[in-house]
Amino acid sequence: MSPKSVEDVSTPPSSSTKYSFYQVWLILTISSCYIIFGMNIVWPNTLVSHLAVDNTTLFGTQLNLSPSQLDWIGSTSTIGSAVMVIPAGWMVGKLGRRRSIIISVFLHFLGWLLMALAFDYYMIILGRLVTGGS
C-alpha cells in the first residue's frame, strides 16, 4: 500500500461545499457561546442601572435592593462557576461532550428564564448561580 498523498488527507469524505458549510456552522455555533458568556458577565451592570430608574418586575412587584444585594447579583455567577467545575468535568467524562453541552445549554436557559421571570431577589440570585454554573 502506498501512503496517502496530501490531497487525499485534506479532502473531506463528502463534497467540499457541504464540508465548508459544516465548518462555518460549527464556527458560528461556538462563537455564539462566547457571546452568551459575555452577556452573562455584563448583565449585572445593565441591571443595576435599570433598577435605579424602574425596579418593577414583570409581575408588578417592587424590588427594593440594597447596594449589598446588587453586589451579590454581580458576583453570584462567579461562585456558580467555581462550584460547578468538578461536577462538570465528571459529567463530561461520564456522559460525553455532546450530552454535557445539551444539559449545560438547558441549565443556562433555565437560569435566564428564572432571572427574566424573577419576582424577588432570591430568584435573581438562583438564576445567576445556574447561569454561572452551566
Side-chain angles (χ1 to χ4, degrees):
M1 292 186 87
S2 64
K4 290 185 176 184
S5 67
V6 174
E7 291 83 22
D8 292 341
V9 174
S10 64
T11 305
S14 61
S15 69
S16 178
T17 306
K18 184 179 176 182
Y19 188 72
S20 296
F21 281 123
Y22 179 70
Q23 283 184 325
V24 168
W25 178 78
L26 285 176
I27 290 169
L28 291 175
T29 303
I30 298 301
S31 296
S32 68
C33 293
Y34 287 108
I35 292 170
I36 292 169
F37 179 71
M39 287 171 50
N40 195 23
I41 297 295
V42 174
W43 183 75
N45 297 334
T46 308
L47 176 71
V48 169
S49 65
H50 176 72
L51 287 177
V53 177
D54 178 23
N55 62 359
T56 57
T57 66
L58 289 175
F59 300 108
T61 59
Q62 292 285 333
L63 291 175
N64 297 320
L65 302 176
S66 68
S68 173
Q69 288 174 325
L70 292 173
D71 289 342
W72 272 106
I73 289 172
S75 61
T76 307
S77 180
T78 308
I79 295 169
S81 295
V83 169
M84 288 304 294
V85 168
I86 301 294
W90 172 84
M91 189 170 66
V92 169
K94 192 75 168 168
L95 301 176
R97 290 179 290 183
R98 184 178 182 154
R99 288 188 181 132
S100 298
I101 289 173
I102 291 170
I103 291 169
S104 178
V105 166
F106 175 74
L107 288 174
H108 204 82
F109 173 76
L110 182 66
W112 278 105
L113 190 65
L114 278 170
M115 288 186 286
L117 300 177
F119 53 84
D120 67 351
Y121 166 72
Y122 298 104
M123 281 184 71
I124 295 173
I125 290 295
L126 183 61
R128 291 290 290 169
L129 279 170
V130 172
T131 58
S134 59

